[in-house]
Amino acid sequence: MINARALSEKPVLTGDRIRLAPLGLRHAAAFHAGFLDAETRRLTGTHRDWTLAELEAWCAGAAERAERLDLAIEDRETGAFLGELALSQIDRDNANGSFRIALAAEATGRGLGSEATRLLLDYAFERVGLHRVQLEVFAFNARARRAYEKCGFEVEGRMREALHWDGAWHDVLVMAALAPRP
């Protein structure tokens, strides 16, 4: 059974180098800066141009969204914004949810995304009570795929030519992780 309270209570999850904290207005400017980075836009497939005001409104309302969990990834020592992640599209009947993560350009290549992913998966399985967490990753993003595999995700399928980016079509891989069996 899903623990809906675990989604609405917006926890702080602490790892060795990072902290996952409830996404809020204080993260909006750094979040917006990430959307201005061309490589971040490519890796997330972000076609839409978000204004700072739109992201301020999104971040300010994150705590009120009881059916999803939006967290900022912060440096544990400095509090600097390193990215954000979300657990959403919760299917209560089947104990499934969707996951996404976006790191700030300066946070990539250091294992921080894997640390954040593991923290969120532990929470999703142990506190929320999910059985399965899925994500989508672009086939050209081999680094992210390897990181997800290290965290227990497996490729389950391929959506052919589901992303149109820079004049070309790209496949999207569907990956999922299952709760550890007792």
Side-chain angles (χ1 to χ4, degrees):
M1 180 183 291
I2 299 296
N3 177 359
R5 185 174 171 188
L7 290 170
S8 63
E9 64 190 14
K10 312 305 182 206
V12 174
L13 308 174
T14 304
D16 293 334
R17 298 175 294 159
I18 62 165
R19 172 181 55 242
L20 303 182
L23 188 67
L25 185 57
R26 67 187 173 101
H27 301 110
F31 193 6
H32 182 254
F35 277 110
L36 299 178
D37 179 74
E39 183 65 359
T40 299
R41 290 175 68 88
R42 183 179 80 89
L43 293 176
T44 59
T46 303
H47 290 288
R48 187 176 189 274
D49 290 323
W50 293 84
T51 66
L52 178 56
E54 288 171 322
L55 286 177
E56 285 174 340
W58 173 258
C59 291
E64 303 305 315
R65 294 183 196 100
E67 292 297 314
R68 60 180 289 139
L69 188 57
D70 292 283
L71 300 173
I73 305 167
E74 299 176 340
D75 182 283
R76 187 173 163 181
E77 299 298 319
T78 67
F81 180 83
L82 301 173
E84 53 83 29
L85 49 71
L87 183 64
S88 63
Q89 299 176 347
I90 305 301
D91 177 346
R92 291 172 181 262
D93 295 327
N94 296 300
N96 293 326
S98 293
F99 169 75
R100 72 168 175 73
I101 184 172
L103 292 177
E106 63 275 8
T108 61
R110 299 176 12 209
L112 301 175
S114 295
E115 184 176 346
T117 299
R118 284 187 190 102
L119 285 170
L120 189 69
L121 280 179
D122 287 347
Y123 191 81
F125 294 141
E126 294 171 16
R127 291 279 295 131
V128 179
L130 294 182
H131 173 70
R132 181 177 181 278
V133 174
Q134 80 172 37
L135 61 82
E136 295 176 2
V137 62
F138 303 122
F140 59 73
N141 194 346
R143 182 175 65 196
R145 181 178 169 183
R146 283 190 306 273
Y148 297 141
E149 287 170 342
K150 286 183 200 176
C151 294
F153 285 89
E154 294 182 22
V155 175
E156 294 185 336
R158 176 182 297 264
M159 297 186 295
R160 297 176 302 137
E161 298 184 1
L163 172 72
H164 190 257
W165 193 264
D166 203 20
W169 291 101
H170 302 278
D171 291 355
V172 176
L173 303 177
V174 177
M175 301 180 76
L178 300 178
R181 302 232 184 244

